[in-house]
Amino acid sequence: MTPVEMLALLKRSVSKFNDWRGNTPDAEIDLQGADLRGAYLQGADLQGANLRGADLQGAYLRGA
């Protein structure tokens, strides 16, 4: 999955993003420079994700 596709999936559905992560545990999560301003990411599995330069201003990250 490309970084653009990962970002779109994450923004669309944290649950589906987490399911995808569970099915592809070796996938590199590259969200470098992503615009996640104001995104609702509660419970998102972002462990090991590259978030360098990502804009998380106002994002809801409880449990992420």
Side-chain angles (χ1 to χ4, degrees):
M1 184 177 295
T2 69
V4 171
E5 292 169 326
M6 282 181 217
L7 178 59
L9 179 59
L10 179 59
K11 285 183 168 182
R12 188 171 54 250
S13 171
V14 167
S15 176
K16 288 182 183 193
F17 178 82
N18 287 346
D19 287 346
W20 173 77
R21 289 236 34 204
N23 291 326
T24 54
D26 295 332
E28 184 177 319
I29 308 304
D30 183 5
L31 298 171
Q32 183 172 338
D35 179 3
L36 291 165
R37 289 176 290 176
Y40 186 82
L41 303 175
Q42 181 175 357
D45 181 358
L46 299 174
Q47 184 173 347
N50 178 0
L51 293 166
R52 183 173 288 135
D55 189 345
L56 295 165
Q57 184 177 355
Y60 188 78
L61 296 166
R62 185 176 196 153

